[in-house]
Amino acid sequence: MRQQRFYYLINVQYLGFRFSGWQKQPGQKTIEGMITKTLKFIMPNVQFKILGAGRTDSKVSALDAAFELFINDVPIKDHAVFLELFNENLPSDIRVTGIKQVDESFNIIKDPKTKEYIYLFSFGSKNHPFSAPFITNILENLDLQAMVKATSFFVGSHDFTSYTVKAQKNKQRLRTIEVCEIRENTLFKANFFPEKSYALHIKGKGFMRYQIRMIMGALIQLGKGELSMNDIEESLSSPGSLKLTSVAPGSGLMLHSIEFR
């Protein structure tokens, strides 16, 4: 007899600082691994699998990520009770915030979606150690004006070959960025944060591995005077002509929102 399958879209937040990214890996503490372990505990003897909307790297956080939960035979009867039980058993740095049932046609990987990432950074002086999970700290002074100006180069459709690790064969490297701006950080405040910090906002349909962290790395190099405006422009107009090697730390990056259309 064919098993009946039920499909759920679950929203999740997490602080990534102590995790080795989303994807389950042998011998590593990951977000996917912790979620799977918790589901096995709260749903014993239930067959299920989960699939994330994307993979975040080590130490990367999320304010609004999502994963799909596939359950065989036994539907979730009370969504509110399920979320409460789930949160009671997840560690304090992971929280599920919403659940809705979807149908078989929903595809969390292929369905059109828009992601907005934020990269927090500060510069010019040493931060309080408690800021480390949230804000990348550059000790040198940066030319912030040049960095702000250069963000506009990334908006639109470009071949981002220079802004990813060695791509797999036939990997789509033409990506479209809808928003790329540096703003003063007004989103997150704490008494141990520096007096001023900044946020790189990037929004688009999809990003390659390390793409945002390499964009941030290039902007930091520009701010230090190690790259020029022409270098940034050339890296996009002649993909691969400029070898970029700077990958900004994962701990400053967070998935701010994800929207399914």
Side-chain angles (χ1 to χ4, degrees):
M1 185 176 177
R2 188 173 181 268
Q3 290 179 319
Q4 189 174 4
R5 177 169 274 194
F6 302 91
Y7 309 83
Y8 301 90
L9 180 64
I10 298 178
N11 297 92
V12 61
Q13 299 174 326
Y14 51 85
L15 177 64
F17 197 65
R18 74 184 184 100
F19 293 96
S20 299
W22 167 269
Q23 189 175 18
K24 197 172 180 180
Q25 303 170 56
Q28 298 293 323
K29 185 174 288 186
T30 68
I31 303 295
E32 183 184 29
M34 188 60 70
I35 287 172
T36 300
K37 181 180 178 181
T38 305
L39 285 169
K40 284 180 179 177
F41 179 76
I42 67 173
M43 300 191 306
N45 306 316
V46 174
Q47 285 188 314
F48 72 88
K49 73 172 185 176
I50 68 172
L51 187 61
R55 303 177 200 168
T56 47
D57 297 328
S58 178
K59 298 187 184 299
V60 175
S61 299
L63 284 171
D64 185 20
F67 65 92
E68 192 171 1
L69 171 64
F70 307 82
I71 300 179
N72 289 340
D73 292 332
V74 186
I76 297 171
K77 293 180 180 178
D78 189 316
H79 290 185
V81 170
F82 174 79
L83 285 183
E84 185 177 359
L85 182 63
F86 205 171
N87 277 320
E88 282 177 1
N89 289 280
L90 283 167
S92 59
D93 42 9
I94 304 177
R95 179 173 74 152
V96 287
T97 59
I99 180 173
K100 71 173 183 178
Q101 189 164 2
V102 292
D103 60 30
E104 187 177 1
S105 66
F106 179 78
N107 187 313
I108 197 167
I109 300 297
K110 294 182 179 179
D111 273 21
K113 55 186 174 288
T114 301
K115 295 180 181 179
E116 182 184 16
Y117 283 88
I118 292 174
Y119 196 101
L120 297 180
F121 68 99
S122 64
F123 62 90
S125 61
K126 183 87 170 181
N127 283 352
H128 191 294
F130 289 3
S131 298
F134 313 100
I135 303 176
T136 289
N137 188 203
I138 312 301
L139 297 182
E140 300 97 319
N141 278 314
L142 300 176
D143 184 346
L144 186 65
Q145 189 174 357
M147 295 169 67
V148 169
K149 185 178 179 181
T151 56
S152 64
F153 298 154
F154 297 101
V155 177
S157 298
H158 303 281
D159 185 328
F160 282 94
T161 295
S162 298
Y163 292 89
T164 185
V165 292
K166 189 175 180 181
Q168 296 175 345
K169 191 176 181 181
N170 300 324
K171 183 77 172 178
Q172 175 58 261
R173 286 168 282 188
L174 181 68
R175 301 294 170 116
T176 301
I177 290 180
E178 299 170 16
V179 175
C180 186
E181 299 174 346
I182 291 176
R183 310 169 195 165
E184 192 168 329
N185 170 31
T186 58
L187 295 168
F188 306 98
K189 297 292 181 185
N191 60 8
F192 52 82
F193 274 20
E195 186 177 335
K196 274 197 174 182
S197 57
Y198 302 90
L200 172 70
H201 292 251
I202 294 190
K203 189 174 184 178
K205 290 183 179 178
F207 300 93
M208 295 180 290
R209 191 178 185 197
Y210 296 154
Q211 183 181 343
I212 296 171
R213 290 168 60 192
M214 290 187 74
I215 288 172
M216 189 71 238
L219 289 170
I220 291 170
Q221 285 188 290
L222 174 69
K224 290 180 178 180
E226 297 171 359
L227 291 176
S228 68
M229 289 281 191
N230 287 338
D231 289 331
I232 302 292
E233 286 189 289
E234 187 181 337
S235 69
L236 295 165
S237 60
S238 302
S241 61
L242 181 65
K243 183 66 176 174
L244 298 174
T245 56
S246 178
V247 182
S251 52
L253 182 61
M254 62 186 73
L255 175 57
H256 184 253
S257 64
I258 182 167
E259 300 173 10
F260 293 92
R261 295 177 182 173

